[in-house]
Amino acid sequence: MKILVTGGTGYIGSHTVVELQKKGFDVIIVDALFNSRIEVLDSIEKITGIRPEFESFDLANQSLTDDFFARHNDIKGIIHFAAHKAVGESVEQPIKYYRNNLDSLMNILEAMDKYKVPNLVFSSSCTVYGQPDAEHLPVSETAPIKKAESPYGNTKQIAEEIIFESINAYKGLNAIALRYFNPVGAHDSALIGELPLGVPNNLMPYITQTGYGIRECLKVFGGDYPTHDGTAIRDYIHIMDLAKAHVVAVERMVNEKMKKSFEIFNLGTGTGYSVLDVIKSFEKVSGVKLNYEIVGRRAGDIEKVWADPTFSNNELGWKAERHLDEMTLSAWNWEKAYRSN
Ligand code: UD1
């Protein structure tokens, strides 16, 4: 059974491709390589022994997208990862984000209707919850959607609405939106991992690059949050746990186990860790003393969020299994392996 993975050479995409192949799915990747590298295909092949089919074009281009689906009439499901994801950049260049993230989704939905591709898994984000009120922590799927803090976050909210309305309009379409908390870590082989171009925005690659000596000092954004150590809390989830959830979602769709045509699931562990907790874990597993300093808060950051994964655990029969130390260790192993090549 063939699954299209858009953004399949990216961070979450590449790990998901590996899991799909392990489960016997045929994978075709479409990726414009805006923020990923073609060599990822070699790494996937090294891990699984199978080179995924690959095409490089921009899904925000309607005629190229239509042409792709016209040529591939054997696709049974789509996992749509391809999107821009830098929160800060989205504030500076909002139109770039709306155009890319929404045009690509709309082109895919139109093609799904036209070419009768029934199943879509969409990459959403816990950013849709903003800072949940105390009574909504841990945050479940029924918590209120807050006004987005950034154009990036807004593209995820609007995308969920576009999917919902399209599913109502185009009969025979199903979708699952997966709201990720903070994906970190790498494949155990250390052949694939997170590969931010330039200076990382996110915590884990900044930690491992500082540990490796590429960055001088990690800035911890905010030491005065109302948390156990003053630093902000997130629900970090191992990338392989996240990848597995995508396979479960695809199987749920193709095996017609969905309870309604648009379902939404949180992907988190249910445990929150502070920035200092993550640093301590990194220092423990790597044996490296990390150079860091606590500075002012980062604009747009929320103080704490972690998932209530009960609904995903019960409905999907999926549970995040890996602990924080496995996340930091795999991220560190990947950083070292990548740099020594
Ligand atoms: C953000 C987005 C999320 C998006 C994700 C991936 C929001 C609210 N969240 O998550 O939707 O999917 O990026 O791009 O928009 N930190 C430091 N120093 C650093 C970097 C980070 O202290 O150099 C801290 C942050 O302040 C935060 C935590 O580490 O408390 C995690 O930050 P980060 O990895 O950037 O992810 P989020 O901001 O949670």
Side-chain angles (χ1 to χ4, degrees):
M1 183 175 291
K2 188 175 282 187
I3 305 297
L4 164 63
V5 180
T6 78
T9 52
Y11 175 43
I12 307 176
S14 57
H15 291 78
T16 301
V17 168
V18 165
E19 285 304 297
L20 282 168
Q21 290 181 327
K22 256 177 58 184
K23 286 283 184 143
F25 288 98
D26 284 340
V27 175
I28 178 162
I29 293 174
V30 169
D31 199 310
L33 301 172
F34 290 151
N35 192 27
S36 62
R37 295 161 39 130
I38 188 88
E39 290 78 12
V40 168
L41 296 176
D42 301 330
S43 305
I44 292 172
E45 189 177 358
K46 264 190 206 147
I47 296 170
T48 63
I50 308 162
R51 193 171 186 85
E53 268 183 82
F54 175 75
E55 289 195 24
S56 184
F57 68 89
D58 185 355
L59 289 151
N61 182 313
Q62 191 177 15
S63 60
L64 292 179
T65 305
D66 186 271
D67 171 69
F68 171 85
F69 281 96
R71 285 184 290 109
H72 295 276
N73 58 7
D74 54 348
I75 292 171
K76 295 287 177 270
I78 302 168
I79 309 183
H80 181 42
F81 292 109
H84 294 321
K85 60 166 187 176
V87 176
E89 185 189 56
S90 80
V91 175
E92 285 151 24
Q93 301 180 56
I95 303 301
K96 173 176 171 179
Y97 275 68
Y98 288 112
R99 271 203 207 292
N100 182 64
N101 293 8
L102 298 181
D103 282 351
S104 60
L105 173 68
M106 291 189 289
N107 291 339
I108 287 170
L109 285 165
E110 256 177 358
M112 288 175 74
D113 181 44
K114 184 169 167 189
Y115 296 101
K116 303 293 164 226
V117 182
N119 300 311
L120 175 73
V121 177
F122 177 70
S123 278
S124 190
S125 169
C126 72
T127 195
V128 302
Y129 301 118
Q131 174 60 63
D133 304 327
E135 80 256 32
H136 291 299
L137 263 181
V139 68
S140 75
E141 291 82 352
T142 54
I145 301 294
K146 293 262 178 77
K147 185 171 164 32
E149 295 271 356
S150 69
Y152 160 77
N154 209 17
T155 66
K156 294 296 176 191
Q157 293 189 358
I158 297 170
E160 287 193 5
E161 287 173 8
I162 291 173
I163 294 170
F164 177 73
E165 288 160 1
S166 302
I167 299 261
N168 280 340
Y170 307 142
K171 295 300 163 218
L173 292 198
N174 303 300
I176 293 180
L178 299 175
R179 291 179 178 161
Y180 315 146
F181 283 68
N182 286 55
V184 294
H187 191 263
D188 291 332
S189 65
L191 287 166
I192 51 173
E194 190 171 7
L195 193 56
L197 301 180
V199 181
N201 293 306
N202 296 113
L203 179 64
M204 192 63 89
Y206 213 106
I207 288 181
T208 55
Q209 290 194 12
T210 307
Y212 202 77
I214 295 161
R215 311 277 155 213
E216 208 171 303
C217 179
L218 168 76
K219 291 191 171 69
V220 174
F221 298 132
D224 58 350
Y225 286 109
T227 61
H228 62 275
D229 59 19
T231 64
I233 291 180
R234 298 286 183 276
D235 186 337
Y236 297 93
I237 173 168
H238 197 294
I239 188 71
M240 293 315 297
D241 280 329
L242 197 77
K244 286 188 176 125
H246 289 78
V247 180
V248 172
V250 166
E251 287 171 336
R252 181 178 176 89
M253 299 184 113
V254 298
N255 296 328
E256 299 180 6
K257 294 276 163 55
M258 291 175 72
K259 302 253 166 86
K260 48 187 183 171
S261 52
F262 184 33
E263 296 182 324
I264 295 177
F265 297 104
N266 280 346
L267 296 185
T269 65
T271 305
Y273 288 104
S274 72
V275 177
L276 290 180
D277 290 334
V278 180
I279 293 173
K280 277 187 208 133
S281 164
F282 170 79
E283 290 185 328
K284 183 173 81 181
V285 302
S286 67
V288 172
K289 183 100 195 61
L290 199 74
N291 189 22
Y292 71 88
E293 61 168 330
I294 296 179
V295 300
R297 295 181 180 192
R298 182 171 69 176
D301 267 351
I302 56 172
E303 63 185 53
K304 51 186 165 189
V305 67
W306 63 96
D308 177 351
T310 311
F311 183 63
S312 327
N313 295 167
N314 292 344
E315 273 300 312
L316 295 176
W318 162 92
K319 198 170 189 315
E321 284 166 351
R322 302 201 192 195
H323 186 264
L324 179 62
D325 288 348
E326 293 176 75
M327 304 180 207
T328 49
L329 180 61
S330 65
W332 177 233
N333 287 340
W334 154 248
E335 185 76 55
K336 286 189 296 182
Y338 179 69
R339 299 295 161 191
S340 64
N341 269 330

